Amino acid sequence: MDTIDAIKSRRSIKSFKNHEITKDEINQILECAILSPTSYNIQNWRFVIVTEQKLKDEMAQLSYGQKQVSEASLVIVLCADLKAWEKNPERYWKNVPEESRNYLVNGIKQAYSGNTELEKDQAIRSCGIAAQTIMLAAKSIGYDSCPMEGFDYEKVGKLINLPDDHIVTMMVVIGKSAKDPAPRGGQLPLSEVVFENSF
């Protein structure tokens, strides 16, 4: 399936069949996820993959009983390391010449030092981009998905032993749809959402 078809056919699925996703399929999806762009290439996303049924059931309870969490073949909790920018930042640019690497690492430090608002904003942006990559990668290999923000972030964080310098940003559930999706609710026309050069 090409990218345009994946985008046009991807839907948020709320009911999944009983299906076991393979380790190879999970890795295929995650190998795409880590190609998602991040500010200064700091790769601040962290992915907690959940396949154990007992844990999915607990997460479903923390998601206000939303059954797609327990029915999904895979739950990915998208987290972010808020301090990724300062943890050996040279590694993010290991493949560029030393002069360029030094320039970029210095830029990272100048942008992020003492800027907790930027840390959090970039964490959410990075995970949002990665979530879309995950959902499109899943669709391209025959899986359906649903992005989720309706859950208790603090309790899910405790359940997955979230480190103190990380945040949970969202979840994506992945599996095989149990039924055809409902019609789209209604997309606004381009004329209402696209502006050329200014509003």
Side-chain angles (χ1 to χ4, degrees), residues 101-114:
R101 181 170 56 250
N102 291 341
Y103 176 80
L104 289 161
V105 168
N106 186 52
I108 291 170
K109 291 174 181 174
Q110 286 182 352
Y112 284 90
S113 291

Side-chain angles (χ1 to χ4, degrees), residues 33-44:
I34 64 170
L35 297 176
S36 302
T38 57
S39 169
Y40 282 105
N41 198 37
I42 61 173
Q43 301 166 65
N44 50 347

Side-chain angles (χ1 to χ4, degrees), residues 57-65 150-153 155-157 159:
D57 291 342
E58 287 181 64
M59 287 186 166
Q61 290 306 310
L62 298 177
S63 302
Y64 315 112
F151 59 93
D152 188 316
Y153 288 69
K155 289 181 180 175
V156 166
L159 194 61

Side-chain angles (χ1 to χ4, degrees), residues 27-75:
N27 285 339
Q28 195 173 359
I29 291 167
L30 293 173
E31 284 168 0
C32 290
I34 64 170
L35 297 176
S36 302
T38 57
S39 169
Y40 282 105
N41 198 37
I42 61 173
Q43 301 166 65
N44 50 347
W45 14 245
R46 301 292 180 265
F47 309 104
V48 178
I49 59 169
V50 181
T51 56
E52 184 183 295
Q53 191 60 52
K54 181 178 180 294
L55 193 52
K56 290 190 294 182
D57 291 342
E58 287 181 64
M59 287 186 166
Q61 290 306 310
L62 298 177
S63 302
Y64 315 112
Q66 294 183 81
K67 66 180 183 173
Q68 67 265 34
V69 179
S70 57
E71 289 179 350
S73 303
L74 173 66
V75 176

Side-chain angles (χ1 to χ4, degrees), residues 194-199:
V194 178
F195 304 88
E196 190 167 349
N197 299 321
S198 68
F199 274 91

Side-chain angles (χ1 to χ4, degrees), residues 42-146:
I42 61 173
Q43 301 166 65
N44 50 347
W45 14 245
R46 301 292 180 265
F47 309 104
V48 178
I49 59 169
V50 181
T51 56
E52 184 183 295
Q53 191 60 52
K54 181 178 180 294
L55 193 52
K56 290 190 294 182
D57 291 342
E58 287 181 64
M59 287 186 166
Q61 290 306 310
L62 298 177
S63 302
Y64 315 112
Q66 294 183 81
K67 66 180 183 173
Q68 67 265 34
V69 179
S70 57
E71 289 179 350
S73 303
L74 173 66
V75 176
I76 301 178
V77 184
L78 285 91
C79 307
D81 181 349
L82 296 173
K83 299 298 182 183
W85 64 271
E86 68 180 1
K87 296 175 180 174
N88 189 16
E90 293 79 12
R91 64 190 167 140
Y92 307 132
W93 295 101
K94 65 184 179 184
N95 297 328
V96 302
E98 184 178 2
E99 185 178 342
S100 297
R101 181 170 56 250
N102 291 341
Y103 176 80
L104 289 161
V105 168
N106 186 52
I108 291 170
K109 291 174 181 174
Q110 286 182 352
Y112 284 90
S113 291
N115 196 340
T116 56
E117 186 176 348
L118 182 64
E119 287 175 346
K120 187 173 181 184
D121 287 350
Q122 292 294 15
I124 293 167
R125 279 190 271 269
S126 295
C127 287
I129 294 169
Q132 182 72 336
T133 302
I134 286 167
M135 291 185 290
L136 294 178
K139 190 64 180 173
S140 75
I141 62 170
Y143 282 92
D144 297 294
S145 62
C146 183

